[in-house]
Amino acid sequence: MTRLLLALAGVILLAVTALAAVWLIGQLLTGVGAFVVGAAGVLGRLLWFLLVTGLLAGLVYFVTSAWRPALRARGGSEPARPRESARPGAVARPASATPVRLEKPPVSPDTSA
């Protein structure tokens, strides 16, 4: 009779252990599944953000490239410029601005050596 009771206790203990192992594996798979679903959501939103950002950046690049005035070849028809100075290389200044002259400091010989 003792053998029968020990065998029955062993079977019950084995069944409880197997059920605990199945429950634990289910909990782990649930955690892994929640992590995978969360990561998929984050990566999906990241992909959406990168696509929208790439499209908007491309649009901005296209518009800024198209907005830049084209350089015209020399000798071609150039647009009229407002009142240029007769001297080549002259800088246009407002009428009220006075030129500032900076004097160079005197150079002293290097006697540190």
Side-chain angles (χ1 to χ4, degrees), residues 19-75:
L19 283 174
V22 168
W23 177 82
L24 183 61
I25 290 172
Q27 292 296 315
L28 289 174
L29 288 177
T30 302
V32 169
F35 175 75
V36 167
V37 168
V42 168
L43 291 176
R45 290 187 181 174
L46 177 65
L47 179 64
W48 177 253
F49 171 76
L50 291 176
L51 286 174
V52 169
T53 306
L55 287 173
L56 290 177
L59 180 67
V60 168
Y61 179 76
F62 175 75
V63 169
T64 54
S65 296
W67 202 270
R68 187 180 322 144
L71 298 175
R72 299 186 187 270
R74 291 185 184 250

Side-chain angles (χ1 to χ4, degrees), residues 68-85:
R68 187 180 322 144
L71 298 175
R72 299 186 187 270
R74 291 185 184 250
S77 61
E78 293 186 13
R81 295 184 187 161
R83 291 194 288 155
E84 290 187 14
S85 175

Side-chain angles (χ1 to χ4, degrees), residues 4-20:
L4 185 63
L5 289 176
L6 283 175
L8 188 61
V11 169
I12 291 174
L13 187 60
L14 186 62
V16 169
T17 306
L19 283 174

